[in-house]
Amino acid sequence: EVKNKLFAIVAHDLRNILASLKGMLYLIRESDLSGKELQTLSVHLKVSIQQNSNIMENILVWARQQMEGITTDIKPLRVKPLVDKLLDSYLFPARQKGVTLANKVFPDIEVLADDDMLELVLRNLLSNSLKFSGETDCITVSAISKEDHVLFSVEDTGIGIPEAQKKTIFQSSTQTQRGTNNERGSGLGLNLCKEFIEKQQGSIHFESEEGKGTTFYFTLPKANQQSKPDRHMEYINIKSDE
């Protein structure tokens, strides 16, 4: 079953992305392009390579989990630096789509988590939000300290999730909805998010309305029990047009 899934993803997703990259490289090599045309193609190349990298990372992590199992390394982890790093990595594709990114995580928020797992979860949720957002939309990452856990949210003002897909959103599937710029996905991202959050003693759910956006919520155990619950969060914005 794992092999069949991997072959299906390679056939449906990676092959098409690589074919697109090959076509763009052929144009650069064989055509007499202007500077502006080269710049436009280079933007598409970078975005396509990022999509390919994200899909490949999900495939490798998922396959390893299915075939070998994945161990967790739970330790205290500050959240804001990780979110800053991830938002920085998405700043370029966000700028190309006219999407604003915002970090609303207070500096002292600390969780008990596996840093690689938490990074994969946040990266997939951010990637999904960007995939289904467009011009003038905003993606906001927040974290609120509760009594014994931290409640995370990744909120976007994009196109939302169709009603027919909501019941199976966390299942691994090769049939994925195309993004606002026709972006593809492997169908593994949200499945991995659910499994990895649950491995860290957390839970995940979402709220979405077509045409108004989607918010994914997940919890993780809190590390710094001294933090006051439900404290006010400061806004730190990263604007896509800067």
Side-chain angles (χ1 to χ4, degrees), residues 111-136:
V111 295
L112 291 173
D114 181 296
D115 53 356
D116 290 332
M117 285 187 171
L118 179 54
E119 181 172 344
L120 182 140
V121 169
L122 287 169
R123 177 167 53 78
N124 272 289
L125 294 179
L126 283 168
S127 180
N128 266 9
S129 287
L130 184 56
K131 178 180 177 182
F132 299 114
S133 296
E135 190 74 30
T136 74

Side-chain angles (χ1 to χ4, degrees), residues 60-190:
L60 293 175
V61 171
W62 181 82
R64 190 173 78 226
Q65 178 177 314
Q66 296 295 312
M67 299 171 75
E68 301 174 6
I70 291 181
T71 58
T72 57
D73 180 18
I74 304 296
K75 57 190 177 185
L77 178 66
R78 287 197 176 273
V79 177
K80 185 179 181 299
L82 176 58
V83 175
D84 281 335
K85 182 182 76 170
L86 287 169
L87 290 184
D88 283 344
S89 71
Y90 281 99
L91 187 57
F92 179 83
R95 182 183 294 122
Q96 300 308 310
K97 296 189 77 171
V99 176
T100 299
L101 306 177
N103 185 351
K104 196 184 173 184
V105 178
F106 205 77
D108 70 346
I109 293 289
E110 192 171 343
V111 295
L112 291 173
D114 181 296
D115 53 356
D116 290 332
M117 285 187 171
L118 179 54
E119 181 172 344
L120 182 140
V121 169
L122 287 169
R123 177 167 53 78
N124 272 289
L125 294 179
L126 283 168
S127 180
N128 266 9
S129 287
L130 184 56
K131 178 180 177 182
F132 299 114
S133 296
E135 190 74 30
T136 74
D137 282 326
C138 182
I139 300 170
T140 304
V141 183
S142 304
I144 299 175
S145 180
K146 299 289 188 178
E147 184 176 346
D148 61 355
H149 67 274
V150 172
L151 175 64
F152 290 81
S153 65
V154 178
E155 178 184 6
D156 67 68
T157 57
I159 61 176
I161 300 171
E163 196 65 35
Q165 295 185 9
K166 290 182 178 180
K167 290 184 179 180
T168 59
I169 199 73
F170 290 113
Q171 298 177 9
S172 60
S173 170
T174 55
Q175 301 300 317
T176 60
Q177 184 184 2
R178 295 290 187 95
T180 53
N181 279 359
N182 207 35
E183 300 101 323
R184 286 176 170 269
S186 66
L188 297 176
L190 290 176

